[in-house]
Amino acid sequence: MISFSSTFKLSFRALRVNKMRSALTMLGIIIGVGAVIAMLAVGTGASSQITEQISKMGSNMIMIVPGTTTAGGVRMGAGTQSTLTMDDAAAIQKECSAVSAVAPVHNGAAQVVSGHLNWSTGITGTTPGMLEVRDWPLSAGRPFTDQDVRSATKVCLLGQTVVDNLFGSADPLGQIIRIKKIPFTVIGVLGPKGQSPNGQDQDDTIYVPVTTAQKKLFGTTMPGMVRVIMVKAKSAADLAVAERQINDLLKQRHHIGPRQDNDFTVRNLTQMMQAAEQSSKVMTMLLGAIASVSLLVGGIGIMNIMLVSVTERTREIGIRMAIGAKTWDIRYQFIIEALTLSMIGGTAGIAIGLGGSKVLSMLAGWPTVVSVPSILLSFGFSGLIGIFFGYYPAYKASLLDPIDALRYE
Amino acid sequence: MAIIEASNLSMTYRLGDIDLHALSNLTLTIEKGEFVAVMGPSGSGKSTFMNILGCLDRPTGGTYVLDGQEVGDISRDDLAGIRNKKIGFVFQGFNLLPRTSALENVELPMLYAGLSQAERTKKAMAALKSVGLEGREHHHPNQLSGGQQQRVAIARALVNDAPIILADEPTGNLDTKTSNEIMELLVKLNNDENITVILVTHENDIAAYSRRVIRFVDGALVSDTRQEQRR
Ligand SMILES: Nc1ncnc2c1ncn2[C@@H]1O[C@H](COP(=O)(O)OP(=O)(O)OP(=O)(O)O)[C@@H](O)[C@H]1O
Ligand SMILES: [Mg+2]
C-alpha cells in the first residue's frame, strides 16, 4: 500500500494542474462552511444573550397577577378587579415552604423631577424582599427597610438609567427628587442590569416602599391592594412545588371552590424564559441546517469535478494500474484528492465564517458567538463531505479495466 | 528454466452474436533470458497475447504459468502485484505520466511497491543513468524527444528489477536511428542483466535483434524459429 504522504503529494499536484477549477470547486465548500459557522454564530449569540438576560433577571422567579388565564388569554375573575393584597404576600411568605422571598408590587408610571431635569419612568412600590427575588444588588447606598415600608417613608432607589438622566455623573445619594411633585430622598442606586428578555431597559425604574406607592403615588381601590406579587423559590427544583403551594394557598384565602376559575394567575417566569431559550436553540439548529444545505451543494460540486477528473485521467489511471497500482491505491488517491479539496475549502471557509460573523454582528448589531464546537463540526463535516462525495468517483476510477484505461484517448 | 509457460491459451471476444477468436490454442514456453520477437499481420492477436503475458488481461481458456506461478484465477490486486514485481512494460506510445518529471515517472513502480522516498530516488537516478539519461531527471515528457521518452519508459520497466520486459511495438513511433539505439539498449539489458525480453514488431530489422521469432496469423501460432542475433 502506498503511503499517506505520497498520496497526499499526488493529490496536491493533481489539484495544482487545474488551479482555477480546484479553486472554484472549493468555493462551494468555502461558502458552505462559512455559512454554517456564521449562522451558528448568530443563533448561538441570540441564545446566549437570552441566557444572560435570564440570569440577570433573577433566577427561580414566580409572578402572581390578578385575573384568570384561559386559553384565550387573560380575563378578569368575576366581580374582582384586583384581588391580590399585602396580606396574600405575607401569607405566602409565612406558609409556603418552597418559597425563599416574596415581594408585593404596586406600580405605575410617573414624571420625576430633579432640579431642572425631568424624566418619565416606571415607579415600583415594593418591599425589601424584591432585591432578593430579583437577585439585584445595589451599586451604591442602602436598600429601604421593613421599617420604611411600615411607616411609608418617602425614600427611593434609582435604576442606573434614571440616575444617568437625572444626575449625569453627579452623586445622587441623599439628593431629593420629586415624583408626582412629592419629594423623595434617594438612598440607593440599583446595579445596572441591562435589557430584559423582552427588550425593556430594566434599569429605567425607581423602587419605593410599597406602602408609599399605595398611599401617596397611585392609590388603591381597596386597602392593601397590590398589582403583582413576585416570589422567589428556594431552588430550581422547588419551582413546581412553590407554584402548587401558592396556588393552593391563594385558592383557600380567596375562597375559590373546585369548580370556580381562579381570580389570580401564577406564572413561572423562569420556565417561560427557559422556553424562550429553548426555542432560540431550535432556531440556531434550523439556521445551521439551512446553511449545511449549501455545504451539501458544495459536496456535489466536488463529486462533479472528481468525476470529470477521473474521466480526463483515465489513461493515467491505466498507466498506474499497468505499473502495479492496486484497487485501493487508486481509490485512495482520488478520495484523498477530494478530501484535500474539501479540507482546504473548509479551512478557508472557517476564516470566511469568522469574518462573516464579525461583519454580521457589526452591521446588524447582533451579538454573535463563534463556538469552538461549531468550527470543529463544520470542519469535520466538510471532511466527511469530501470523503462521501469523493468516494463514488474514486470507486469508479479504481474499478476501471487496465487495458481499456490504457487505450482511452 | 521456463519463465513463461502457456498451454492452450485462447482469447475469445463476444461481439454481438459472433465469437471473435483473438487467440486460439496457443502453447508456448519461453526460457529465462530469451529475446523473443512476436510478429504477424495487424489484428493477428499479438497485443492480445502480450496483454495476457503481462497479466493485464486474463485468457478465456488455457493456463498461463508465470515464473512458476499459475495466474489463471488470482485476484485483480494480486495480478497488479505481479505486474509490479515481475513485468516491465514498454509501450508504443511511451505511456509516461504527463506533467511529471522523468525521475518521478521512473519512481512510480517503486511507489506502489512501497519503497521509501529516499530509496525510490536513489534507484530511479541509477536506472535513468543506465539508459543514458543522466542530467534529464527533472525534464517532463513534453521536454524530451521520442527516443528519450522511450528510454524513460525502459528505465521505469527495469527499475523494480523485473525479470521480464514486455514491449509492444516499442519502436513504432521512432525513426530508424533511434529505433536501433533503443534495440541496442534492450539487447544490452538482455545480455548484461539476463532480462527476458519479448517484443512485438512489424519490422524485420527490429526482429533481427532477437534470437527467436514467433509468428501469429489469425490468433494462431504459425511459426517459431531461432536465429543468430544481430549485434
Ligand atoms: N477488447 C476487444 N474487444 C473485441 N475485440 C478485440 C478487443 N481487443 C482486440 N480485439 C480483436 O482481437 C483481434 C486481435 O487484436 P490485437 O490487438 O491483438 O491485434 P494485433 O496483432 O496487436 O494488431 P496490430 O498489429 O494492429 O497491433 C483483432 O481482431 C481485434 O479487433
Ligand atoms: Mg497490437
Side-chain angles (χ1 to χ4, degrees):
Chain A
M1 192 77 172
I2 156 171
S3 74
F4 181 79
S5 65
S6 303
T7 315
F8 199 76
K9 253 175 31 198
L10 282 183
S11 61
F12 223 79
R13 177 207 296 274
L15 295 178
R16 271 217 318 260
V17 169
N18 279 305
K19 287 196 199 69
M20 188 65 179
R21 191 163 88 182
S22 303
L24 286 174
T25 311
M26 279 175 203
L27 202 56
I29 295 290
I30 294 174
I31 291 172
V33 169
V36 169
I37 289 181
M39 288 300 106
L40 289 182
V42 168
T44 315
S47 48
S48 76
Q49 196 181 28
I50 292 180
T51 310
E52 193 189 319
Q53 285 164 348
I54 289 172
S55 71
K56 277 202 181 150
M57 189 184 73
S59 54
N60 309 329
M61 279 207 310
I62 292 171
M63 183 166 122
I64 307 152
V65 293
T68 190
T69 308
T70 61
V74 179
R75 92 182 133 85
M76 291 304 189
T80 49
Q81 254 296 317
S82 193
T83 54
L84 296 172
T85 62
M86 295 289 285
D87 291 343
D88 286 334
I92 290 168
Q93 175 84 73
K94 218 173 100 197
E95 294 186 27
C96 298
S97 58
V99 164
S100 75
V102 178
V105 172
H106 194 67
N107 57 355
Q111 181 89 354
V112 185
V113 180
S114 163
H116 63 282
L117 296 172
N118 69 79
W119 183 248
S120 266
T121 186
I123 314 292
T124 301
T126 187
T127 59
M130 187 63 164
L131 299 182
E132 194 192 334
V133 170
R134 300 213 48 196
D135 298 321
W136 203 340
L138 293 186
S139 61
R142 62 162 184 93
F144 50 75
T145 59
D146 289 330
Q147 181 56 46
D148 288 319
V149 174
R150 272 195 295 279
S151 44
T153 50
K154 289 176 278 182
V155 294
C156 65
L157 306 174
L158 302 186
Q160 191 58 49
T161 305
V162 179
V163 173
D164 292 345
N165 282 286
L166 290 184
F167 294 98
S169 53
D171 182 10
L173 288 185
Q175 302 292 319
I176 304 292
I177 61 168
R178 288 170 186 278
I179 305 174
K180 285 194 165 176
K181 303 207 175 88
I182 302 163
F184 281 74
T185 310
V186 178
I187 57 168
V189 177
L190 295 160
K193 242 186 196 297
Q195 281 196 346
S196 75
N198 49 24
Q200 275 172 349
D201 179 6
Q202 298 181 85
D203 297 323
D204 190 5
T205 192
I206 296 175
Y207 279 11
V208 298
V210 60
T211 42
T212 318
Q214 288 166 333
K215 289 175 190 153
K216 310 234 158 77
L217 293 175
F218 306 119
T220 49
T221 47
M222 59 188 245
M225 180 203 94
V226 296
R227 291 193 204 278
V228 182
I229 299 175
M230 301 294 289
V231 173
K232 186 185 188 67
K234 282 194 167 127
S235 71
D238 284 326
L239 269 171
V241 182
E243 213 176 329
R244 205 174 52 241
Q245 287 175 344
I246 293 165
N247 211 47
D248 293 348
L249 179 68
L250 290 185
K251 259 191 151 116
Q252 188 198 331
R253 286 180 58 85
H254 294 192
H255 310 292
I256 295 167
R259 295 272 168 83
Q260 279 174 286
D261 279 347
N262 284 349
D263 62 354
F264 60 90
T265 302
V266 180
R267 278 195 208 138
N268 184 332
L269 284 189
T270 303
Q271 227 168 44
M272 281 162 62
M273 283 306 111
Q274 277 163 352
E277 194 179 12
Q278 198 56 42
S279 66
S280 88
K281 282 193 176 134
V282 170
M283 193 65 191
T284 305
M285 276 161 55
L286 210 68
L287 284 173
I290 291 170
S292 347
V293 171
S294 61
L295 199 48
L296 216 63
V297 173
I300 294 170
I302 287 191
M303 182 153 168
N304 190 19
I305 284 304
M306 289 310 293
L307 283 172
V308 170
S309 174
V310 166
T311 308
E312 276 179 357
R313 285 151 68 195
T314 300
R315 205 179 168 84
E316 172 194 328
I317 295 165
I319 294 171
R320 290 181 184 277
M321 286 177 164
I323 277 166
K326 299 198 163 97
T327 313
W328 270 100
D329 290 328
I330 300 290
R331 203 173 294 180
Y332 205 44
Q333 178 185 341
F334 283 94
I335 290 174
I336 297 283
E337 203 169 308
L339 190 65
T340 309
L341 264 180
S342 67
M343 292 303 247
I344 296 176
T347 311
I350 288 172
I352 299 282
L354 291 174
S357 23
K358 273 245 161 60
V359 171
L360 264 183
S361 70
M362 254 156 46
L363 287 184
W366 288 330
T368 55
V369 177
V370 179
S371 64
V372 174
S374 82
I375 291 182
L376 293 181
L377 187 90
S378 43
F379 192 63
F381 201 43
S382 64
L384 277 182
I385 284 213
I387 293 175
F388 183 80
F389 287 100
Y391 189 83
Y392 176 67
Y395 170 83
K396 259 188 76 168
S398 71
L399 289 191
L400 285 174
D401 182 69
I403 297 182
D404 291 344
L406 272 173
R407 285 213 191 108
Y408 186 85
E409 289 306 326
Chain B
M1 190 189 108
I3 194 158
I4 284 168
E5 288 178 84
S7 37
N8 297 315
L9 276 193
S10 53
M11 188 65 157
T12 308
Y13 293 109
R14 263 210 91 84
L15 298 173
D17 286 344
I18 55 156
D19 282 348
L20 193 143
H21 300 285
L23 269 190
S24 41
N25 266 323
L26 179 117
T27 301
L28 182 76
T29 304
I30 295 174
E31 303 292 324
K32 189 156 174 48
E34 279 199 83
F35 198 126
V36 184
V38 182
M39 300 192 75
S42 188
S44 58
K46 304 183 294 295
S47 295
T48 307
F49 172 63
M50 295 293 270
N51 287 341
I52 293 172
L53 289 195
C55 296
L56 281 170
D57 216 347
R58 275 188 255 238
T60 49
T63 56
Y64 172 33
V65 178
L66 170 67
D67 208 6
Q69 187 181 11
E70 155 87 69
V71 292
D73 41 30
I74 65 175
S75 74
R76 212 181 133 91
D77 280 352
D78 288 344
L79 282 181
I82 290 176
R83 289 196 295 270
N84 186 247
K85 305 237 159 34
K86 303 234 157 127
I87 316 257
F89 288 100
V90 179
F91 303 93
Q92 177 174 4
F94 318 132
N95 274 343
L96 299 177
L97 292 190
R99 294 175 296 270
T100 306
S101 71
L103 185 67
E104 283 167 300
N105 263 293
V106 176
E107 281 180 15
L108 215 54
M110 298 182 281
L111 180 73
Y112 294 115
L115 268 64
S116 74
Q117 177 68 63
E119 270 180 293
R120 297 200 304 255
T121 311
K122 198 174 125 235
K123 290 189 78 178
M125 298 286 275
L128 280 169
K129 191 176 170 196
S130 76
V131 299
L133 281 179
E134 210 173 2
R136 296 284 189 168
E137 290 88 354
H138 299 289
H139 287 63
H140 287 196
N142 60 1
Q143 299 166 319
L144 295 169
S145 72
Q148 287 166 336
Q149 288 186 55
Q150 199 60 301
R151 282 166 193 272
V152 174
I154 292 172
R156 185 179 65 186
L158 56 88
V159 76
N160 245 0
D161 301 319
I164 306 172
I165 286 183
L166 295 178
D168 196 342
E169 301 186 44
T171 59
N173 288 7
L174 303 173
D175 63 23
T176 315
K177 180 168 167 288
T178 319
S179 297
N180 288 334
E181 284 168 15
I182 292 295
M183 288 313 297
E184 273 150 28
L185 181 57
L186 289 175
V187 168
K188 182 168 168 292
L189 290 170
N190 177 244
N191 286 336
D192 298 355
E193 323 268 341
N194 201 31
I195 292 173
T196 310
V197 179
I198 303 168
L199 73 89
V200 174
T201 183
H202 286 288
E203 293 171 56
N204 290 322
D205 286 355
I206 298 296
Y209 283 96
S210 69
R211 278 175 294 195
R212 180 180 177 189
V213 179
I214 59 178
R215 277 176 203 282
F216 286 103
V217 173
D218 288 340
L221 183 66
V222 293
S223 81
D224 185 349
T225 56
R226 293 182 194 258
Q227 65 182 29
E228 209 36 45
Q229 188 173 29
R230 166 185 156 190
R231 297 282 347 235

